[in-house]
Amino acid sequence: MATEDARYRLSTQYRLWSFSPSKLAELREQTNSLAKTNIISRLVETKRVDLDAAESMPEFLTPSEETQLLKFFTVELIRAADFCGLPTEVRATATVFLRRFYVTNSIMTYPPQDILKTCLFFGSKAEGLYTRLAKLADKFPNTTEEEILAGEFLLCQGVRFAFDVRHPFRALEGAILELRRHADLEKSRIDAAHFRARAFLKFSSLVTDAYFHYTPSQIMLAALSLADRGLAEKLVQSAFGPTQSGTSNEGEKDLTGHEIRDKVMATIEACRELLATEQPERLDEYWGTVEATKVIKPLIRKLKRCRDPDRADLVALQKARRELASQKNTGKPKAEGDGSLFGGNGGVLGGNEARDAKRRKVTEGDDVFGPALG
């Protein structure tokens, strides 16, 4: 029977959406550079800017500025999910979809304020929660059902049709059950750590890049370590006995239980430091405050000046693509009938005229069964 680790390595989350920090930064730089090139090309084609006049070119967002804006819109999605009363799993899945989408798509290309609404609706479907589209559209001002659906196929392409998202919430519940088995641990301590760790999972793990770099169990242990380091270490210590040995991921050499434990603890510590950069309190104490507005507002203004003019309206973009697809279909030659293969619509017998000549003409006075016998 395959281990949990082996099953996770078969998931799309590991195969398609797991990156090292350097690789993720490289992908975002490539996306940013490609977006700049495409936007300049479209602006020149439509004669909105002069390629020879450098001052007519808009100032584009840098990769770091895009990352900052992505974090802002991630928080906006979390707030919107809370306002709509969506469950934790739906909110987390929608957030992961948004962050995955903007790995290979630039914020300058597709408007994040529209894509995040699509993520909320599609995240509900991915988690098996029926949400009426009209009801969801009514939650947002000046938003129609068509606007939410317009970016749905774009989102599916952006996440590479990988709709299965593995979250650390169930892992935390299992860890808490395991801790409750220890009689020497106070229930109040476990409950407090449970509540605090869940807060980190519901905010810190979603706003940061934790899902790209770490497995759900590693994220869970890092959140539990932030809530109560002693409990997290107790779980890890109990998982590795003094005589346990194993094999490294590369299969190069056997590792003792202590070496595996140290390697796991180092990974958890790195994830812990990442989650600590966005404490749950920042949802109310920083994001949406004057301090955050001073940082985000200039970036929003800069985004409006450098966005892709042909992709700012997702509804119009979808209609244009449908019209183009219909034109391609109408331009295709119609399939000819079988008769054309044999020299005309009627085949070798000369078509309809030959068939009509063979038919018996029955006048009104004739009996269809012929004359009477005798």
Side-chain angles (χ1 to χ4, degrees), residues 107-127:
I107 285 180
M108 296 182 290
T109 304
Y110 297 109
Q113 64 271 19
D114 295 334
I115 293 294
L116 73 84
K117 299 171 188 175
T118 305
C119 288
L120 286 174
F121 180 64
F122 198 78
S124 300
K125 294 200 290 186
E127 290 296 329

Side-chain angles (χ1 to χ4, degrees), residues 9 184 196 199 249 346:
R9 289 178 182 276
D184 58 327
R196 182 63 176 166
N249 291 336

Side-chain angles (χ1 to χ4, degrees), residues 253-273:
K253 62 177 182 178
D254 290 336
L255 300 176
T256 65
H258 291 293
E259 290 173 329
I260 297 176
R261 182 191 61 203
D262 293 342
K263 190 174 182 179
V264 169
M265 289 302 299
T267 303
I268 294 172
E269 187 64 26
C271 184
R272 185 181 190 274
E273 293 175 0

Side-chain angles (χ1 to χ4, degrees), residues 107-209:
I107 285 180
M108 296 182 290
T109 304
Y110 297 109
Q113 64 271 19
D114 295 334
I115 293 294
L116 73 84
K117 299 171 188 175
T118 305
C119 288
L120 286 174
F121 180 64
F122 198 78
S124 300
K125 294 200 290 186
E127 290 296 329
L129 176 69
Y130 173 72
T131 302
R132 289 184 58 194
L133 181 59
K135 185 177 180 180
L136 183 64
D138 290 340
K139 294 284 186 179
F140 301 98
N142 304 320
T143 300
T144 64
E145 300 175 30
E146 188 179 18
E147 290 174 343
I148 295 177
L149 291 178
E152 193 169 45
F153 186 67
L154 283 174
L155 178 64
C156 292
Q157 289 179 313
V159 300
R160 301 175 69 178
F161 297 92
F163 307 135
D164 179 29
V165 181
R166 309 292 180 92
H167 296 295
F169 302 111
R170 289 185 180 180
L172 177 62
E173 301 306 316
I176 295 302
L177 289 176
E178 180 66 24
L179 289 171
R180 294 191 193 282
R181 294 176 61 248
H182 295 270
D184 58 327
L185 297 177
E186 296 180 359
K187 182 178 181 298
S188 58
R189 180 186 177 186
I190 297 175
D191 291 342
H194 184 197
F195 180 81
R196 182 63 176 166
R198 191 167 176 83
F200 277 105
L201 296 182
K202 291 167 65 175
F203 179 76
S204 306
S205 66
L206 301 176
V207 179
T208 61
D209 290 328

Side-chain angles (χ1 to χ4, degrees), residues 85-106:
L86 297 176
T88 300
E89 287 75 13
V90 172
R91 176 178 57 183
T93 298
T95 303
V96 172
F97 283 165
L98 180 73
R99 297 187 70 83
R100 286 181 180 179
F101 179 81
Y102 283 112
V103 170
T104 54
N105 293 280
S106 173

